Amino acid sequence: MWNVLLSFSGLVALIQLLFLPFFPESPPYLLLQKGDKAGCLKAMKQLWGEGNYHTEFDDMLKEKAVTKGTKIMNVLEVLKEPSVYPQLSTMLLLLLSLQLCGLSATANLQESIIPYVALGVAISELISIIFCSSIIDRFGRRILLWGGYLLMALILVLLETSLLLSDQFLWMRYCSVVLIFLFIIAYGIGP
């Protein structure tokens, strides 16, 4: 039934494509990119209901004034800009560190429970996104990065220990899976 499960994401994308024309453009996009003040106010009312949005509108006008001389770059222009190479390389290293670490392959599990592990990984990523977005403003990125890396290091030590003991105690394999989920959550909260 994996084909049904994989096609579900395609079905969701198709539904989004069908309903997308009925939603308004983003108010900041309409004002900052298109210069459409009336469209911006109309989109605000359509998205947020009736109300007075003059403070938000004024904030967007201030942002437009600040960024007036700034050229908007597409993805290729950003990749060609040498001043963003440190940020891009840091971001690439962070993304590759999770993708290429091979955590899912280290648990030494039976083939019958691997689909459940894949589902658990997806749920762990969802939990980390929700949790991080709710605490990032309170603690800041620096603390989340430090805390995330420290948690990841601790979890990796525990994971290595559980893998070493998995031949002696079969239940340690399941501890390894839980530690993998915790590692993904720590990664999502921090880096």
Side-chain angles (χ1 to χ4, degrees):
M1 300 295 289
W2 276 102
N3 55 351
V4 175
L5 184 62
L6 290 175
S7 65
F8 181 72
S9 60
L11 178 66
V12 171
L14 181 65
I15 291 170
Q16 288 176 349
L17 281 174
L18 291 175
F19 284 101
L20 194 59
F22 300 107
F23 290 102
E25 289 285 349
S26 164
Y29 170 77
L30 287 171
L31 184 64
L32 301 176
Q33 304 293 325
K34 298 280 188 173
D36 185 6
K37 293 180 182 180
C40 175
L41 288 171
K42 181 181 174 186
M44 286 176 156
K45 288 180 182 177
Q46 190 175 359
L47 288 170
W48 302 327
E50 291 297 323
N52 189 359
Y53 303 113
H54 290 292
T55 56
E56 291 88 355
F57 188 76
D58 290 339
D59 289 342
M60 283 190 262
L61 285 175
K62 289 176 188 173
E63 183 180 345
K64 184 177 181 178
V66 168
T67 60
K68 188 173 185 172
T70 308
K71 181 184 179 256
I72 297 170
M73 300 190 304
N74 62 28
V75 175
L76 289 176
E77 291 171 334
V78 170
L79 292 175
K80 291 178 182 177
E81 180 64 38
S83 65
V84 298
Y85 287 165
Q87 294 91 338
L88 285 174
S89 60
T90 302
M91 186 175 68
L92 184 63
L93 284 172
L94 289 173
L95 291 172
L96 289 176
S97 67
L98 184 61
Q99 295 300 319
L100 300 177
C101 70
L103 279 176
S104 300
T106 61
N108 195 15
L109 297 169
Q110 297 170 352
E111 200 170 319
S112 62
I113 66 168
I114 290 177
Y116 301 109
V117 173
L119 181 64
V121 167
I123 291 171
S124 299
E125 290 174 351
L126 179 66
I127 289 170
S128 68
I129 289 169
I130 292 170
F131 190 65
C132 181
S133 63
S134 65
I135 65 170
I136 194 165
D137 289 333
R138 190 174 311 147
F139 295 108
R141 292 187 177 154
R142 182 175 297 227
I143 290 175
L144 290 181
L145 276 171
W146 279 96
Y149 278 125
L150 288 173
L151 275 173
M152 288 166 55
L154 174 67
I155 291 169
L156 286 176
V157 168
L158 293 172
L159 180 61
E160 183 64 28
T161 305
S162 70
L163 289 173
L164 289 173
L165 297 174
S166 67
D167 289 335
Q168 296 170 346
F169 306 104
L170 289 177
W171 57 270
M172 287 301 270
R173 293 179 181 178
Y174 298 102
C175 288
S176 300
V177 172
V178 171
L179 289 169
I180 289 171
F181 295 160
L182 291 175
F183 181 85
I184 292 169
I185 291 171
Y187 180 84
I189 291 171

